[in-house]
Amino acid sequence: MSLDHPTGRQPDHPVAPEFPARWSPRSFTARAVTEAEVMSLLEAARWAPSASNHQPWRLVWARRGEAEFAAIRDTLTGNNPIWAGKAAVLFAVASKDTVTNRTGAEVANRTAGFDSGAAWMSLALQAKTMGLFAHAMGGFDGDALASAIALPVGHTLHCVVAAGEQGPAETLPEDLRARERPSGRKPVDETARHGRF
Ligand SMILES: Cc1cc2nc3c(=O)[nH]c(=O)nc-3n(C[C@H](O)[C@H](O)[C@H](O)COP(=O)(O)O)c2cc1C
């Protein structure tokens, strides 16, 4: 794993500093985010690429203190609600499953999840440029989250993303405190091959 120091990631190949600088902390300060800041995060997601420019991502957001925030938080599982409940904003990230083809029929959008993944990463990188961090969670109760956000039929939930200003690790419960450090990565040759698998 490439990780020279707990507070700094060392890439194996030259890369823009934004990539290793983004990570997923669990400790957030009490700083709220403004609606304008949320719009900037959503604007970054908006410019993600997508197949035929269908833009299948759908994000439902709420800020800490709002009833809708608590409703999303309460669908998180494991440790997630403990730390993510202190984030400034939560986003439920879903995709619209179908697109309308040239004959007017609704057909499956095979790349919807891929495109929504690009949108989440755009949001996460934008957060970093604003002095914020974003942390995705697959640990949620899908039925509960669908109900909490009134997810329409024909949509698939992917993640809940918590975002806010990073706080000190000391504020986390002990088990999470020990994990509050940027992780490393497999070397590129474990995940990419030249020409053939
Ligand atoms: C789809 C997805 C689901 C994840 N689910 C959780 C989760 O439920 N709880 C959690 O604490 N972190 C979760 N994470 C965060 C990952 O553990 C984290 O991104 C990974 O370890 C790499 O670390 P980094 O983001 O700090 O670089 C998730 C990340 C992604 C992309």
Side-chain angles (χ1 to χ4, degrees):
M1 300 279 238
S2 303
L3 185 63
D4 273 2
H5 187 271
T7 56
R9 294 158 144 178
Q10 186 56 50
D12 289 340
H13 305 279
V15 68
E18 288 79 5
F19 293 102
R22 181 222 56 83
W23 68 287
S24 304
R26 294 185 177 85
S27 177
F28 293 104
T29 69
R31 161 152 131 55
V33 296
T34 63
E35 187 162 338
E37 287 175 308
V38 174
M39 289 304 135
S40 290
L41 297 174
L42 295 172
E43 183 71 21
R46 176 182 175 221
W47 289 100
S50 62
S52 300
N53 202 15
H54 281 306
Q55 305 160 58
W57 48 83
R58 301 289 184 268
L59 293 94
V60 175
W61 60 276
R63 291 187 292 157
R64 194 180 60 245
E66 296 178 319
E68 294 88 348
F69 178 101
I72 296 172
R73 178 203 60 209
D74 290 348
T75 70
L76 298 173
T77 55
N79 284 324
N80 289 336
I82 298 168
W83 60 267
K86 297 193 169 147
V89 56
L90 293 175
F91 300 87
V93 183
S95 292
K96 183 174 183 292
D97 297 332
T98 57
V99 292
T100 311
N101 74 8
R102 286 191 189 86
T103 67
E106 282 295 295
V107 295
N109 180 355
R110 282 192 306 118
T111 61
F114 187 82
D115 297 346
S116 294
W120 124 253
M121 184 59 170
S122 299
L123 184 156
L125 290 172
Q126 175 65 25
K128 188 70 182 61
T129 71
M130 294 163 60
L132 304 171
F133 283 84
H135 189 147
M137 290 163 279
F140 59 85
D141 178 322
D143 291 339
L145 182 57
S147 162
I149 64 166
L151 185 78
V153 171
H155 291 67
T156 298
L157 286 166
H158 301 296
C159 259
V160 176
V161 175
E165 182 182 62
Q166 187 184 2
E170 291 67 37
T171 61
L172 289 168
E174 205 174 318
D175 52 332
L176 293 179
R177 205 179 311 155
R179 294 160 59 192
E180 188 74 343
R181 60 197 294 274
S183 55
R185 288 295 187 272
K186 297 168 183 172
V188 165
D189 65 10
E190 268 190 49
T191 58
R193 290 281 186 276
H194 185 182
R196 288 166 66 90
F197 244 94

